[in-house]
Amino acid sequence: IDICNRRSQANRSFTPKDVESSVAYGVFLHNKGDYQSAVSSLEKAVETDPKNDHAHYCLAASYARSGDITGATRHLKRAISTDPYNRVLAISDTDFDSFRNDPALTQLLAEEATETT
């Protein structure tokens, strides 16, 4: 039992070593519903690679799920400016449903839609 407990404790102390691992771990935590921990992991990814649109998009989704509309909008805007296809993803992504009618999100998606047409 002691050996199992030690191994169980060791597995809980996972620390991502690079940007890709931080994003993957953040997505894992997000999918588990641990949005605050997901935000922490994804913030590290964004700090390390500020131009990583996937990290910004995932961070926006975690902020949205945690109720931080300002953070979600800020990072979604960054993701879209880096790769406009992120707008297409955000339009139907249920992670953003909690503030789908928020003027900031509506404007962000509308601006991008006008630019790409």
Side-chain angles (χ1 to χ4, degrees):
I1 293 174
D2 288 339
I3 291 170
C4 290
N5 286 335
R6 281 193 299 262
R7 285 189 180 171
S8 176
Q9 290 295 342
N11 289 339
R12 291 184 198 162
S13 64
F14 174 74
T15 303
K17 304 282 188 229
D18 55 25
V19 172
E20 292 80 19
S21 296
S22 290
V23 172
Y25 189 55
V27 169
F28 168 76
L29 293 167
H30 176 96
N31 289 337
K32 279 182 46 174
D34 186 355
Y35 305 118
Q36 292 302 329
S37 296
V39 164
S40 294
S41 183
L42 293 163
E43 282 283 359
K44 290 175 188 169
V46 166
E47 287 172 13
T48 304
D49 184 3
K51 294 181 181 181
N52 188 318
D53 67 293
H54 184 62
H56 281 283
Y57 185 91
C58 294
L59 182 55
S62 290
Y63 271 129
R65 288 286 185 167
S66 69
D68 183 344
I69 295 171
T70 303
T73 304
R74 181 176 65 248
H75 287 283
L76 184 57
K77 183 175 186 172
R78 184 73 184 264
I80 291 171
S81 70
T82 304
D83 183 354
Y85 183 69
N86 286 311
R87 181 193 68 79
V88 175
L89 298 175
I91 287 171
S92 61
D93 191 331
T94 58
D95 287 325
F96 300 108
D97 283 352
S98 64
F99 73 111
R100 182 76 53 200
N101 296 322
D102 184 87
L105 179 65
T106 304
Q107 181 181 2
L108 174 62
L109 297 179
E111 285 174 3
E112 295 300 325
T114 338
E115 290 176 14
T116 57
T117 57

